[in-house]
């Protein structure tokens, strides 16, 4: 495997590697019978990165204390510098957390809400479920100090409609004598998987003095983000393990220097936390070696004993994508093209359409959303939605050895498919036929027999 990877690196320097099944078979770990059409949920890694991760793990086992206390922080800084360069942000503004949900939790659990109870959190209808529940928890835990409000989205629509809905929600909050303290929104939403105008919403937040928390769970390695420093959100987190070919779980967490004082603690709180000194209580010691780094960076360097080898692979994954895949611009361009063309193939097989707007901004990502020919109202009226959903997913996995994210959005059933360097358009053509057969089975009531 090492020889194959080395040979691929050598050839890639003179000619771009061909994306598709040959890359899948030589560089990835998939079962030969499995087609991964759902890269957007969990991502995956090439053999080369898997091998490097194991080397880091072996070093940690070989000399636990020297590696964890001294070598690991130096390697971590190299990965931080690599991802900072990719995003065009200062290295001291980014750290790593385990996933985007952890980053969102870290922000929401650190924000101090005003005692007058007038603060609100704005979020959009397409918010990721785990983040929505985090908002609910924060509202519940703070007992009347903060409330939340959902901004509706009516897809398909131009980006301007989303911005207008946001402005309308802000105006409604002000009219009620309250204030929007923080807004939470995506780079690319999960279900449906569409590009969100996060740049414009960030600018609107700045205009209104609202803290912007950008959930880029679907982001780095998939869409253009080298303008992050220019967009300048107040908080930003993006999973590296989804689209950057980094092992699970790893996310870059960006907080500009101006806001680092707002992040008092990691989640969970660990040795980097420095409490306000109280009478009769001295300062608690940090048992880890001093490093001269700022409070923010130092706090996230060690958050309990867990396997952080994925963080160290960020630098390696970025280099692999440059040396083997031809760089970020090529990867982004090819994946967006594949998703758009593949979505049309699936929609053609199903006799439906792809979710997009006239400008094509919704489809500017590596995921495509295709409507399923299912009687949504009838299924809902009969209370059979959960049974249908379970039947579709189980059939995909058990009979066809694949997975496609299936969901109901605004009264219609949709399938979300992911483009990736190890796929080609034949996979989407095949998926269209598979989904057609399954939907026909649903209409025939096959899901009732499997219940």
């Amino acid at each position: 495997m090492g020889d194959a990877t080395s040979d691929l690196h050598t050839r890639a320097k003179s000619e771009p590697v061909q994306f598709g099944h040959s890359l899948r078979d030589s560089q990835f770990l998939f079962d030969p019978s499995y087609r991964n059409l759902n890269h957007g949920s969990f991502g995956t890694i090439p053999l080369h990165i898997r091998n490097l991760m194991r080397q880091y793990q072996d070093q940690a086992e070989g000399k636990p204390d020297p590696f964890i206390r001294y070598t690991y922080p130096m390697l971590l800084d190299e990965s931080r510098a690599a991802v900072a360069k990719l995003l065009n942000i200062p290295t001291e503004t980014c750290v790593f957390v385990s996933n985007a949900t952890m980053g969102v939790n870290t922000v929401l659990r650190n924000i101090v809400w005003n005692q007058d109870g007038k603060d609100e959190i704005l979020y959009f209808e397409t918010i990721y479920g785990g983040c929505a529940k985090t908002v609910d928890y924060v509202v519940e835990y703070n007992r009347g100090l903060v409330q939340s409000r959902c901004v509706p989205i009516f897809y398909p629509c131009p980006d301007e409609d989303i911005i207008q809905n946001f402005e309308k929600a802000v105006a409604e909050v002000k009219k009620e004598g309250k204030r929007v303290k923080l807004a939470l929104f995506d780079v690319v939403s999960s279900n449906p998987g569409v590009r969100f105008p996060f740049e414009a919403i960030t600018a609107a937040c700045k205009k209104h003095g609202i803290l912007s928390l950008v959930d880029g769970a679907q982001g780095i390695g998939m869409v253009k983000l080298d303008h992050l420093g220019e967009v300048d959100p107040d908080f930003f987190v993006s999973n590296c393990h989804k689209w950057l070919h980094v092992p699970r779980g790893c996310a870059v967490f960006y907080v500009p220097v101006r806001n680092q004082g707002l992040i008092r603690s990691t989640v969970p709180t660990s040795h980097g936390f420095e409490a306000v000194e109280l009478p009769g209580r001295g300062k608690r010691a940090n048992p880890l070696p001093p490093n001269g780094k700022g409070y923010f960076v130092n706090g996230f360097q060690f958050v309990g004993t867990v396997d952080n080898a994925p963080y160290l692979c960020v630098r390696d994954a970025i280099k692999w994508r440059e040396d083997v895949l031809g760089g970020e611009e090529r990867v982004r361009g090819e994946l967006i093209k594949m998703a758009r063309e593949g979505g049309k193939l699936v929609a053609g097989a199903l006799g439906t359409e792809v979710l997009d707007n006239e400008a094509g901004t919704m489809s500017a990502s590596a995921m495509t959303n295709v409507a399923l020919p299912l009687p949504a109202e009838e299924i809902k009226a009969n209370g059979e939605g959960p049974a249908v959903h379970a039947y579709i997913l189980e059939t995909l996995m058990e009979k066809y050895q694949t997975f496609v994210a299936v969901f109901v959005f605004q009264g219609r059933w949709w399938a979300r498919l992911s483009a990736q360097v190890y796929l080609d358009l034949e996979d989407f053509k095949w998926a269209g036929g598979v989904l057609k057969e399954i939907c026909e089975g649903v209409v025939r009531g096959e899901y009732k027999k499997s219940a």
Side-chain angles (χ1 to χ4, degrees), residues 252-314:
V252 58
F253 180 37
Y254 163 76
V255 180
V257 173
R258 68 175 182 275
N259 290 331
Q260 291 180 2
L262 299 178
I263 305 299
R264 290 282 296 124
S265 173
T266 56
V267 177
T269 301
S270 191
H271 290 301
F273 178 69
E274 295 179 4
V276 176
E277 292 190 31
L278 299 174
R281 190 192 69 194
K283 184 176 181 180
R284 301 188 190 279
N286 186 338
L288 301 173
N291 54 47
K293 299 171 187 174
Y295 182 80
F296 174 71
V297 172
N298 185 59
F300 284 86
Q301 183 166 282
F302 182 89
V303 186
T305 304
V306 292
D307 181 6
N308 286 333
Y311 297 178
L312 306 184
C313 294
V314 172

Side-chain angles (χ1 to χ4, degrees), residues 42-342:
F42 304 115
T44 195
I45 56 175
L47 288 165
H48 178 63
I49 300 302
R50 191 279 306 273
N51 293 341
L52 290 175
M53 177 178 67
R54 289 186 175 176
Q55 289 178 23
Y56 294 131
Q57 292 169 332
D58 289 347
Q59 290 180 59
E61 299 309 317
K63 297 181 179 179
D65 278 281
F67 183 83
I68 294 171
R69 294 176 186 272
Y70 297 97
T71 304
Y72 165 75
M74 291 188 295
L75 295 174
L76 183 67
D77 287 346
E78 292 177 8
S79 272
R80 289 177 48 243
V83 78
K85 181 179 179 182
L86 191 66
L87 297 173
N88 272 331
I89 55 176
T91 303
E92 64 268 22
T93 63
C94 68
V95 294
F96 294 115
V97 292
S98 57
N99 51 61
T101 304
M102 178 66 78
V104 169
N105 268 261
T106 301
V107 174
L108 291 178
R109 292 169 188 260
N110 272 279
I111 296 297
V112 177
W113 310 102
N114 288 282
Q115 293 297 309
D116 60 11
K118 296 181 179 181
D119 287 340
E120 288 207 9
I121 300 169
L122 279 192
Y123 62 90
F124 288 83
E125 184 178 351
T126 51
I127 186 174
Y128 177 64
C131 293
K133 290 188 175 182
T134 303
V135 170
D136 293 344
Y137 169 77
V138 168
V139 170
E140 176 186 299
Y141 179 79
N142 286 279
R143 298 180 181 276
L145 291 184
V146 59
Q147 300 298 321
S148 64
R149 187 174 307 222
C150 179
V151 180
I153 297 178
F154 303 100
Y155 282 143
C157 67
D159 291 345
E160 289 74 17
D161 284 7
I162 297 174
I163 299 164
Q164 289 176 9
N165 287 353
F166 179 78
E167 292 284 358
K168 181 180 178 181
V170 173
E172 288 174 351
V173 173
K174 291 181 178 178
K175 185 177 180 180
E176 295 173 14
K178 300 178 181 179
R179 71 179 74 85
V180 180
K181 176 87 169 185
L182 179 145
L184 169 60
F185 48 95
D186 301 310
V187 171
V188 175
S189 58
S190 179
N191 289 327
V194 296
R195 176 71 155 80
F196 193 81
F198 78 97
E199 299 95 336
I201 299 299
T202 299
C205 286
K206 288 182 182 296
K207 180 178 69 175
H208 293 291
I210 298 168
L211 290 171
S212 53
L213 170 52
V214 182
D215 176 7
Q218 310 277 359
I220 190 169
M222 176 199 202
V223 297
K224 182 179 175 62
L225 286 174
D226 59 3
H227 61 326
L228 184 64
E230 180 182 339
V231 177
D232 193 32
D234 289 299
F235 308 98
F236 171 91
V237 62
S238 189
N239 285 328
C240 300
H241 60 250
K242 284 186 182 287
W243 296 95
L244 200 64
H245 296 114
V246 172
R248 308 177 200 98
C250 174
V252 58
F253 180 37
Y254 163 76
V255 180
V257 173
R258 68 175 182 275
N259 290 331
Q260 291 180 2
L262 299 178
I263 305 299
R264 290 282 296 124
S265 173
T266 56
V267 177
T269 301
S270 191
H271 290 301
F273 178 69
E274 295 179 4
V276 176
E277 292 190 31
L278 299 174
R281 190 192 69 194
K283 184 176 181 180
R284 301 188 190 279
N286 186 338
L288 301 173
N291 54 47
K293 299 171 187 174
Y295 182 80
F296 174 71
V297 172
N298 185 59
F300 284 86
Q301 183 166 282
F302 182 89
V303 186
T305 304
V306 292
D307 181 6
N308 286 333
Y311 297 178
L312 306 184
C313 294
V314 172
R315 174 197 61 175
D316 303 313
I318 292 172
K319 186 176 189 303
W320 183 83
R321 288 162 64 86
E322 181 65 35
D323 292 348
V324 175
L325 301 185
E328 298 302 316
E329 186 173 351
R330 182 193 180 213
V331 173
R332 285 197 308 268
E334 290 293 328
L335 294 192
I336 291 172
K337 179 182 177 183
M338 183 188 298
R340 283 173 166 163
E341 293 181 2

